[in-house]
Amino acid sequence: MSRKLLETDGRDWVQRGVISEAQRAQLLTLYPTDDAAIGLLPLLGSLLVGLSALSVVAANWQGLPELVRLGLLLGSLVAAYAGGEYFRRRGNGSLGMGLVALGLILFGASIVLTSQLYQLIGYDLTGLLAWAVAGMGLTWLYRSRLLFLLTAVISGIVQGYNTGQLGAFSYLTAIGTALGLGYYWWRRPDALLGGVLAGGLLWQAGLLINHLHVKITWFFIPAMLIYALGDWQADRPAGRALQGPPLAAAFLFTLGLALFGESDFYAGQLRAPLGPYLAALAAVLAVSLAGKQRRGRLGSATDWLLLLPGFYFTGGLPLAVATLVVLYAYSGSVLVRAHQEHNPDRVTLGTVLFVLTTAVAYFKLTWGFLDKSLFFLLGGLLLLGLSWWLRRRAARTLATSSVPAAPPSASQP
């Protein structure tokens, strides 16, 4: 329920006798007016003014004396942080945190501009790493979602610059992001922050795999470690948000393999040594299942169907069939769990995945000899049959749960 709903439909409820006018007024007090849009106006205004000043300075940067440049950098930092603290203490948290975030951005810009000012060529990541560390410190200091999101982006930029320009992978940046932001999220679970954290860590894991020049499928070891962390999180929405990006990556990988993996050229880039890879995957699976069992979520173990190593089949028909079986198994399990949990959003997701898998199966396996009308007929019948089975299962479950308990006999006390 929201204040807007109470304002639009509340009077109609009063006229129908559902609630009284006094009750409607009491409900409205529980949902205060949303001042977020109003609070954004001064933030956007200050950002525009700041960008205007920065554009003027940038246009004349080379002509300014050295001391003036340093003074501008230091003054802008002090002004942003001091202004943020001032507005926070006066109760304007959105503007205050916006200015603190602006100060963090200016800190990174100051690192780059100072290196240019003194013609310093960085062959290591010390300066930019300090930027990421500062972001983590500010995130913990202010307990801010905005600073968390900004720090996750900064860490990704730092790692991307390190691997792309310096030709090295910063393990310190990766570990710092995982521990600093990961522990923050663990202590303060949040769905949005979980998704962003998982996406940032997957980005760094992908950079690591590319830097080491190892088989692509090794990527799913750290990816599923992130997934396993979500299994241990007590807050289910936050844990599921953390697991979303790894599952999306696994599904898209399998889907791409079904589309383009018919050649052994692709499969050869994927096949890690079977023994070590399966051992590492089994270890991560054990961690995940232990978390699921502790939190009572063993039913979600079907997510691991996406990690069935079908890519060890040879290219061509065996590989296509193996990957399609994995996709069908996963999309079907999503539908079954969605009906068991009575979750309409997951029903929609499972249906989309099922239809997408069926479309891939048609174009890869039956395009040349199966008529399009027959394809749509078979796909429709398959979906209708699955829907009928799920509804019948749900009806039986409901009937079983609605059977009243037998009354106690007269001989019982």
Side-chain angles (χ1 to χ4, degrees), residues 6 9 190 206 266 322:
L6 289 171
D9 296 348
D190 181 276
Y266 294 102

Side-chain angles (χ1 to χ4, degrees), residues 56-69 72 117:
V56 173
V57 173
N60 301 278
W61 182 256
Q62 297 298 330
L64 295 175
E66 179 180 312
L67 291 178
V68 175
R69 298 185 199 180
L72 286 173
L117 179 61

Side-chain angles (χ1 to χ4, degrees), residues 74-85 99 106:
L74 183 60
S76 61
L77 282 174
V78 172
Y81 288 128
E85 191 63 26
L99 290 174
L106 290 175

Side-chain angles (χ1 to χ4, degrees), residues 104-105 128 131-132 135 149-159:
L104 179 59
I105 295 174
L128 291 179
W131 189 19
L149 299 174
L150 186 57
T151 303
V153 174
I154 290 172
S155 299
I157 293 174
V158 171
Q159 193 67 267

Side-chain angles (χ1 to χ4, degrees), residues 217-286:
T217 45
W218 282 114
F219 167 81
F220 291 105
I221 302 302
M224 296 312 291
L225 271 175
I226 299 171
Y227 173 90
L229 178 63
D231 286 321
W232 287 87
Q233 175 58 252
D235 188 305
R236 185 52 180 161
R240 198 63 189 170
L242 187 76
Q243 294 175 325
L247 289 178
F251 184 87
L252 292 176
F253 168 79
T254 308
L255 191 68
L257 193 59
L259 287 170
F260 307 109
E262 68 274 4
S263 172
D264 275 333
F265 171 76
Y266 294 102
Q269 297 181 4
L270 306 176
R271 297 184 183 123
L274 182 60
Y277 179 76
L278 291 183
L281 197 63
V284 179
L285 173 61

Side-chain angles (χ1 to χ4, degrees), residues 63 99 116 118 129 293 335 338 344:
L99 290 174
Q116 291 181 351
Y118 292 102
L129 182 59
Q293 184 176 19
L335 279 172

